[in-house]
């Protein structure tokens, strides 16, 4: 089955620790995205990547980092510099040239205490 | 600044009711508008609208776009409890960027 997987589903960390969220897709999509969703808010773009070895900051990139070494994988690291990291994180991908329809993974809920 | 505004923020109806969800936008360029349904986790795609005045329909759901007045509506007729979800609207102003609204939380009571 083609799709996007994110792991883990739930993640708990202590303040001051970096944490990496996994996102893998087997849809052969070039473009991948990371969003953050807080209660009562829509999705806010953290980073996106149009192609391997290239990525751009979204609207709320501070305190986050990404890499895109493989087409299938786009991991997100939440660093200790992120002031309020507790949130629901969604990864998405889209077809090149048909960037209108995004496919989403199941999300990772990160709690930092 | 590009923005997408959805209304109402939340809505409670009874099964069988018809609901209309609104999405208005201000963007420098416009490529398309998308509607998603989010129940627990991943948003699932409902519609993509690019042309004004053409209704997209899928079962009890339909949507239409007005590019002159910069808004779209999502209609759900004969609502069911399974329609309870957050409905997200997103506008695509460029090839790779999506701007999402805050969503409308719909609760359908049996």
């Amino acid at each position: 089955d083609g799709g996007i997987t994110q792991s883990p589903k739930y993640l708990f960390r202590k303040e001051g620790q970096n944490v990496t969220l996994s996102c893998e897709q087997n849809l052969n999509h070039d473009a991948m995205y990371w969003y953050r969703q807080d209660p009562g808010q829509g999705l806010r773009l953290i980073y996106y990547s149009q192609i391997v070895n290239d990525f751009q900051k979204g609207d709320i990139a501070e305190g986050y980092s990404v890499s895109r070494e493989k087409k299938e994988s786009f991991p997100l690291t939440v660093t200790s510099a992120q002031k309020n990291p507790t949130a629901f994180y969604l990864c998405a991908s889209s077809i090149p040239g048909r960037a209108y329809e995004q496919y989403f993974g199941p999300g990772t809920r990160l709690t930092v205490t | 600044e590009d923005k997408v505004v959805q209304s109402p923020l939340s809505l409670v109806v009874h099964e069988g009711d018809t609901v209309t969800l609104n999405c208005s936008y201000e963007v420098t360029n416009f490529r398309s508008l998308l509607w998603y349904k989010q129940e627990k986790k991943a948003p699932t795609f409902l519609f993509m609208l690019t042309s004004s005045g053409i209704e997209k329909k899928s079962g009890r759901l339909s949507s239409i776009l007005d590019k002159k007045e910069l808004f779209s509506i999502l209609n759900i007729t004969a609502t069911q409890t399974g329609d309870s979800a957050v409905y997200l609207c997103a506008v695509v102003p460029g090839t790779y960027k999506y701007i999402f609204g805050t969503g409308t939380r719909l609760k359908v009571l049996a």
Side-chain angles (χ1 to χ4, degrees):
Chain A
D1 283 326
I4 303 177
T5 57
Q6 290 184 244
S7 61
K9 197 180 292 188
Y10 299 96
L11 191 53
F12 297 88
R13 279 293 182 270
K14 294 283 188 190
E15 202 172 303
Q17 293 179 332
N18 290 356
V19 59
T20 297
L21 281 57
S22 166
C23 177
E24 304 277 330
Q25 55 100 358
N26 61 4
L27 299 167
N28 201 35
H29 290 173
D30 277 320
M32 296 187 74
Y33 309 77
W34 273 106
Y35 292 94
R36 170 185 172 134
Q37 188 175 32
D38 294 284
Q41 296 202 35
L43 278 61
R44 292 186 290 167
L45 182 65
I46 305 172
Y47 268 98
Y48 65 102
S49 168
Q50 301 176 22
I51 199 165
V52 173
N53 292 323
D54 183 58
F55 48 83
Q56 285 80 41
K57 292 183 180 179
D59 300 317
I60 55 165
E62 188 176 343
Y64 300 97
S65 67
V66 293
S67 63
R68 187 86 188 276
E69 295 174 6
K70 297 187 300 181
K71 189 176 186 177
E72 306 80 36
S73 178
F74 191 40
L76 174 75
T77 296
V78 185
T79 75
S80 56
Q82 169 47 233
K83 297 283 184 254
N84 187 17
T86 295
F88 186 55
Y89 291 88
L90 281 162
C91 179
S93 70
S94 64
I95 302 169
R98 283 195 59 191
Y100 315 130
E101 185 177 335
Q102 287 187 317
Y103 297 81
F104 286 87
T108 291
R109 189 165 297 280
L110 173 65
T111 303
V112 176
T113 57
Chain B
E1 184 186 334
D2 295 340
K3 64 178 180 181
V4 175
V5 178
Q6 291 186 246
S7 63
L9 290 180
S10 66
L11 192 54
V12 180
V13 300
H14 289 91
E15 269 192 319
D17 288 348
T18 293
V19 297
T20 298
L21 310 182
N22 303 292
C23 175
S24 63
Y25 61 90
E26 289 179 33
V27 295
T28 47
N29 289 304
F30 177 90
R31 283 180 172 257
S32 62
L33 184 145
L34 300 97
W35 283 98
Y36 287 87
K37 177 183 182 182
Q38 185 179 25
E39 292 178 81
K40 293 276 188 191
K41 297 174 182 173
T44 53
F45 174 76
L46 294 175
F47 298 111
M48 183 178 75
L49 302 147
T50 55
S51 301
S52 222
I54 297 175
E55 185 183 47
K56 291 282 183 92
K57 201 168 168 63
S58 176
R60 296 174 295 101
L61 277 66
S62 64
S63 183
I64 197 159
L65 172 68
D66 186 327
K67 288 170 78 171
K68 185 179 175 189
E69 299 297 331
L70 309 181
F71 77 91
S72 173
I73 59 171
L74 175 68
N75 274 322
I76 309 175
T77 60
T79 50
Q80 303 171 356
T81 54
D83 295 326
S84 296
V86 174
Y87 290 84
L88 296 166
C89 171
V91 171
V92 185
T95 308
Y96 290 99
K97 194 163 182 188
Y98 298 69
I99 301 169
F100 281 82
T102 54
T104 293
R105 183 173 297 277
L106 173 66
K107 188 171 177 67
V108 182
L109 303 175

